[in-house]
Amino acid sequence: MEKKQLRNIKAEDLYNLKSVVDPQLAANGSDLVYTQTIASEEKNGYSSNIYYMNTEQGQEIQWTFGKARNHSPRWSPDGKRIAFVSDRDEKSQIYIMNKDGGEARQVTSCLHGASNPIWSPDGTKIAFNTSLKEGETVSDQPEKDKKEKPAPLEIDKMKHKSDAAGFWDGKYKYAAIVYVNTGEVELVTSGQHDYHVHCWSPDGEKLIVTADLAEDQDFSFQNDVFLLDVSSKELKNLTNGTGFFGNISYSPDGKYLGMTGHTREYENATLTKVWLYQLEEGSLTCLTEEWDTLVGDFAIGDFQQGAVNPGILWGEDSRSFYFITTDHGSTAVYYGSVDGEMYPALHERQHVYGLTTGGSLNKAVVAISKPSEPGDLYHLTITTGELKRLTSVNAEFLQEVILADAEPLQFKSSDQWDIHGWLMKPAGYQEGDKLPLVVEIHGGPHAMYANSYFHEFQCLTAEGNAVLFINPRGSHGYGQKFVDAVRGDYGGKDYEDIMEAVDHVLANYEFIDENRLGVTGGSYGGFMTNWIVGHTNRFKAAVTQRSISNWISFYGVSDIGYYFTDWQIQADLNDIEKLWKHSPLAYVNNIETPLLILHGEKDYRCPIEQAEQLFIALKHRKKETKFVRFPEANHELSRSGKPNLRIDRLNYITGWFNDHL
């Protein structure tokens, strides 16, 4: 039989790929639900549906259908039902479905929708989050066919916009409870603050919520943990303004709260750690204080839709738990205990982006991705480390295309720091070929490239490019000193790490053509792309995405600008000289590299004026450049933007490098 000819992947294959996330095991350890998402060309958006599997039998059964976003499935305590969120009726609301079949039943009809369902221990109530403006009630219904007239927007606070939500419209996020049998909804928090609900106490009398109740919200960046009495609505602050905490879960015996967080010693560069709150003693202890490892999944990619950080997953003994860590280009599953034991349960060269145990100490289900594997679910026997594949959601597609793998690399920087990264070459590489090299730089800067699938990298290799991506100083995954090293030094040692990585691969890989180098990146990666072309002419082409070019204007226009420049550049408007020194725009006269500028119109994190300034400055100097504006797109364009715009973006990137390399 003739072997099937595989084809190269292309940007448009985004429509053929499925993302599988958020696995949830029931307490019986065998019933599993999870969410599959596809990019829909027809609706130019995303459709998500919930699937079920008995992990012992292995057959996948689709539980929801249609073009809506059905997601966040959560098992009832008795394992007979799931609650989930769906926008099938425009607004996202909570629905309940029986395991034995039948139609889903809507249980909330909140004015502005509902999210984050959490079952009470007795299964009679579901806690959730909803939003309201002052004067609105949770039972209000929207006025149908009412056309809103344009109105002035009054602003009296600095935190008045966010890249995710746009301009603040007066709504606050509250914790609420819905009674499953009657549909009655009760708000359990109030006031002019946002609350996020995390878990119930085992006796069902209390909820754990987080909030920042500081009076001056513009200058407060804490997230406190509160014990909320459901009957009296009384709040007890357990962390008292000491830091930023989240992902809280009760031990089954009700004695402990497990959580992740930090006390902001290095502002947003501080490593997240595991914390234990003992309820009887009222004491908070960091269990990983001496451990130079980051807790949680901080790997970045451009493919998975709706991955969930599982936080602390307790075992039935109320002393043991599991969690995810970010470490040296991979994410791992770790075991922990209230006595401070910590050791790996699964630590391979891969990206674990989902984890569920159902309360078991012996088995789990993990979601795993690798550079040439978009992502699937696996059954993990924790005692032996054995993995058994449960899903193959992209099997049919992967039989048609050829994907490139990533070779890990490591070298010593000129000042003897260990720098880690990867090199990809086209899957169809022929011995003796000389290839152009595209250097990719991640955003953050406190994030981490990982052993994970990246659609953008695959599209670049499919066009015949080698791709180099590294974790320079400032990246997560390599300890506190490493991640903090970029603060106050943007364009310093981080720039040197990237350039020395290029030198390293040129010296060690003969197939790279040193005269055909390209560079690209987004956000901080866009800043660094701009910085690089202003400081060297080694690159024949560059693509800067959602970038920063001017820290002076960034201070006042970004949703995070007024504090981010202080934390990261370590300067504000009282030190214009330092802000300008670290601004790529200051070096625009030096830029000779042809530069493509890509930016979203509704990017409030790195607003489009950053791109406009750079483009006009380059055109004014007769430099080779092109500016592409993406309508309706925010800072998340490459990850969760409109599918057609994501594809256009990828084709602009590959097209620019094809033309210039």
Side-chain angles (χ1 to χ4, degrees):
M1 186 175 175
E2 189 176 339
K3 191 176 180 180
K4 185 176 181 180
Q5 185 71 35
L6 299 179
R7 64 172 177 84
N8 284 332
I9 199 167
K10 55 185 186 291
E12 289 75 11
D13 283 322
L14 189 67
Y15 292 125
N16 298 320
L17 285 160
K18 297 173 184 174
S19 167
V20 56
V21 301
D22 196 13
Q24 296 288 326
L25 264 177
N28 64 13
S30 58
D31 286 328
L32 176 72
V33 286
Y34 49 94
T35 303
Q36 271 192 41
T37 301
I38 60 169
S40 167
E41 188 170 11
E42 180 186 349
K43 68 182 276 193
N44 197 25
Y46 302 90
S47 296
S48 302
N49 279 296
I50 294 166
Y51 287 72
Y52 164 84
M53 178 184 291
N54 182 299
T55 57
E56 294 166 8
Q57 298 169 357
Q59 184 180 358
E60 183 179 71
I61 302 171
Q62 187 171 345
W63 269 9
T64 67
F65 297 86
K67 298 173 184 176
R69 298 294 296 263
N70 301 289
H71 59 92
S72 304
R74 299 294 181 265
W75 286 105
S76 61
D78 62 7
K80 294 181 178 179
R81 297 170 290 177
I82 63 165
F84 66 97
V85 178
S86 177
D87 65 359
R88 60 187 65 183
D89 192 23
E90 293 188 15
K91 289 272 193 307
S92 290
Q93 302 290 355
I94 296 171
Y95 292 74
I96 289 178
M97 176 179 282
N98 290 325
K99 176 189 167 185
D100 295 334
E103 288 293 316
R105 176 170 67 90
Q106 185 175 340
V107 292
T108 67
S109 299
C110 298
L111 178 62
H112 299 299
S115 63
N116 188 28
I118 303 169
W119 288 90
S120 64
D122 63 3
T124 64
K125 301 181 284 291
I126 295 173
F128 65 96
N129 280 111
T130 192
S131 297
L132 291 171
K133 294 180 182 178
E134 191 174 354
E136 293 178 338
T137 70
V138 75
S139 59
D140 287 346
Q141 293 301 307
E143 296 181 40
K144 294 198 172 180
D145 303 321
K146 179 185 176 183
K147 290 189 177 179
E148 295 286 345
K149 296 178 182 177
L153 179 64
E154 293 184 10
I155 294 168
D156 62 3
K157 60 181 186 175
M158 297 171 81
K159 293 179 183 174
H160 65 271
K161 63 179 177 180
S162 81
D163 185 67
F167 288 104
W168 187 66
D169 59 2
K171 290 199 286 279
Y172 290 97
K173 183 183 287 185
Y174 296 119
I177 291 169
V178 60
Y179 291 81
V180 171
N181 290 337
T182 65
E184 178 190 352
V185 171
E186 176 186 359
L187 286 181
V188 291
T189 62
S190 59
Q192 297 184 342
H193 295 283
D194 293 317
Y195 294 87
H196 186 81
V197 63
H198 289 262
C199 59
W200 291 85
S201 60
D203 61 11
E205 295 179 1
K206 295 178 174 62
L207 282 169
I208 297 296
V209 299
T210 50
D212 182 353
L213 302 189
E215 287 187 24
D216 192 347
Q217 289 285 302
D218 284 334
F219 292 94
S220 182
F221 303 95
Q222 64 200 36
N223 201 43
D224 275 320
V225 181
F226 292 86
L227 191 65
L228 170 65
D229 187 291
V230 174
S231 299
S232 68
K233 313 295 188 292
E234 288 183 13
L235 286 166
K236 179 183 178 183
N237 194 335
L238 304 183
T239 50
N240 295 311
T242 52
F244 196 96
F245 300 95
N247 298 309
I248 303 119
S249 57
Y250 256 100
S251 62
D253 63 8
K255 291 183 178 179
Y256 304 107
L257 293 174
M259 64 186 79
T260 65
H262 56 75
T263 51
R264 305 192 56 81
E265 306 98 299
Y266 303 90
E267 297 297 356
N268 62 328
T270 313
L271 295 189
T272 299
K273 297 180 179 291
V274 176
W275 296 75
L276 184 74
Y277 188 89
Q278 299 190 44
L279 286 136
E280 287 181 8
E281 299 176 11
S283 63
L284 180 66
T285 307
C286 181
L287 295 179
T288 56
E289 183 65 40
E290 305 303 319
W291 200 32
D292 201 20
T293 300
L294 177 69
V295 174
D297 174 12
F298 287 82
I300 58 169
D302 65 350
F303 173 61
Q304 302 300 344
Q305 295 287 322
V308 173
N309 188 341
I312 305 299
L313 300 177
W314 287 95
E316 57 265 65
D317 66 355
S318 290
R319 300 192 65 80
S320 308
F321 51 84
Y322 292 99
F323 58 98
I324 290 177
T325 66
T326 294
D327 188 23
H328 286 76
S330 291
T331 57
V333 178
Y334 262 74
Y335 166 89
S337 79
V338 297
D339 301 316
E341 297 174 273
M342 302 286 159
Y343 57 80
L346 179 68
H347 199 333
E348 304 292 339
R349 193 181 291 170
Q350 58 197 14
H351 176 201
V352 178
Y353 64 90
L355 170 67
T356 179
T357 64
S360 171
L361 288 172
N362 302 316
K363 52 190 175 182
V365 171
V366 288
I368 293 175
S369 177
K370 298 179 182 179
S372 58
E373 297 179 26
D376 271 304
L377 302 182
Y378 294 79
H379 186 275
L380 169 65
T381 303
I382 295 173
T383 49
T384 64
E386 180 189 359
L387 281 174
K388 182 183 79 173
R389 179 185 285 271
L390 294 175
T391 67
S392 299
V393 296
N394 291 299
E396 190 176 332
F397 170 71
L398 293 175
Q399 289 172 0
E400 300 176 4
V401 300
I402 185 167
L403 295 180
D405 208 349
E407 176 187 341
L409 58 87
Q410 188 165 315
F411 65 94
K412 289 281 188 185
S413 67
S414 55
D415 58 351
Q416 299 303 300
W417 286 45
D418 288 320
I419 307 299
H420 176 226
W422 296 261
L423 183 66
M424 297 175 74
K425 60 184 175 184
Y429 169 74
Q430 300 291 321
E431 198 70 37
D433 286 353
K434 280 282 193 177
L435 304 177
L437 175 73
V438 175
V439 179
E440 287 270 6
I441 307 166
H442 67 63
H446 309 311
M448 183 186 76
Y449 276 142
N451 290 294
S452 191
Y453 179 82
F454 229 105
H455 195 56
E456 181 175 328
F457 298 175
Q458 293 291 343
C459 290
L460 283 165
T461 58
E463 293 291 330
N465 303 291
V467 174
L468 170 66
F469 54 108
I470 73 160
N471 287 319
R473 260 166 271 204
S475 301
H476 268 315
Y478 304 88
Q480 185 63 78
K481 183 179 178 183
F482 193 91
V483 71
D484 190 52
V486 74
R487 295 172 67 222
D489 191 41
Y490 274 47
K493 290 295 183 182
D494 51 350
Y495 164 67
E496 292 179 21
D497 289 345
I498 294 164
M499 299 309 294
E500 289 175 13
V502 174
D503 293 338
H504 173 79
V505 297
L506 289 176
N508 289 279
Y509 298 89
E510 294 183 352
F511 60 82
I512 297 172
D513 186 343
E514 65 179 351
N515 296 311
R516 291 194 289 162
L517 303 179
V519 62
T520 185
S523 195
Y524 164 83
F527 156 83
M528 185 52 71
T529 299
N530 297 341
W531 186 267
I532 285 171
V533 297
H535 286 78
T536 179
N537 292 325
R538 291 182 70 179
F539 294 89
K540 296 269 289 184
V543 181
T544 184
Q545 309 169 50
R546 57 191 187 281
S547 74
I548 296 163
S549 65
N550 183 350
W551 289 110
I552 299 171
S553 62
F554 181 88
Y555 168 90
V557 296
S558 168
D559 62 345
I560 61 173
Y562 71 94
Y563 54 88
F564 190 86
T565 53
D566 186 30
W567 295 351
Q568 293 288 314
I569 307 304
Q570 298 183 340
D572 59 17
L573 293 187
N574 292 315
D575 194 352
I576 292 286
E577 187 177 333
K578 186 172 185 182
L579 292 178
W580 188 240
K581 173 190 170 187
H582 288 279
S583 295
L585 196 64
Y587 307 94
V588 70
N589 288 332
N590 301 336
I591 297 177
E592 301 297 336
T593 306
L595 183 63
L596 175 64
I597 303 170
L598 307 180
H599 220 106
E601 295 278 5
K602 289 192 173 180
D603 189 332
Y604 295 150
R605 182 60 41 84
C606 298
I608 199 167
E609 60 89 31
Q610 295 283 309
E612 291 169 334
Q613 291 185 66
L614 183 60
F615 174 72
I616 293 301
L618 288 168
K619 291 297 283 186
H620 193 226
R621 288 157 178 77
K622 306 296 184 183
K623 311 280 187 170
E624 184 178 354
T625 187
K626 181 185 286 185
F627 182 21
V628 182
R629 306 171 71 114
F630 291 83
E632 303 299 312
N634 69 1
H635 202 60
E636 295 299 307
L637 166 64
S638 65
R639 297 177 277 261
S640 58
K642 294 285 187 185
N644 76 303
L645 295 180
R646 290 177 65 189
I647 290 167
D648 286 342
R649 171 189 161 274
L650 289 168
N651 286 327
Y652 274 115
I653 293 168
T654 55
W656 189 259
F657 287 129
N658 285 346
D659 290 346
H660 291 85
L661 301 183

